[in-house]
Amino acid sequence: MPWYINFKAREMKIEFKPIIEKKNLTLLVISAILVIIGFVLMAGGKSPDPNVFSYAIFSPRRLIIAPTFVIGGFVLAIFGIMKK
């Protein structure tokens, strides 16, 4: 060791703590999966003929279930970030 390093500095222990704990990371991954599932559920509803309106876009899956998954995923992500 070089002579200019203080003796006390050599005795100090440096502890590294992860920024995000395993619980929080698990919540973030689950929330990302929920958001992806929500967007997949929203997909579709395309009419085979562009001149004809398709009422498939108003299905309960696209209006109720999918947004619930997306909002739930975002709420879980916020909880996963803020949880200590």
Side-chain angles (χ1 to χ4, degrees):
M1 293 209 133
W3 58 271
Y4 52 83
I5 293 181
N6 190 355
F7 181 72
K8 291 181 182 179
R10 281 188 259 160
E11 293 178 359
M12 286 189 343
K13 292 184 179 180
I14 299 173
E15 294 181 19
F16 293 104
K17 292 177 70 176
I19 296 172
I20 298 177
E21 294 181 7
K22 188 175 180 178
K23 285 190 261 182
N24 298 48
L25 188 61
T26 305
L27 288 175
L28 288 174
V29 168
I30 292 171
S31 69
I33 291 170
L34 282 177
V35 170
I36 290 170
I37 289 172
F39 279 117
V40 167
L41 288 174
M42 275 191 233
K46 181 180 175 184
S47 176
D49 183 14
N51 296 323
V52 178
F53 185 74
S54 174
Y55 287 96
I57 61 171
F58 297 120
S59 71
R61 183 184 83 189
R62 289 186 181 90
L63 291 178
I64 299 169
I65 298 171
T68 305
F69 271 86
V70 173
I71 292 171
F74 285 139
V75 169
L76 189 64
I78 292 169
F79 182 73
I81 292 170
M82 301 298 269
K83 187 173 187 240
K84 191 169 186 180

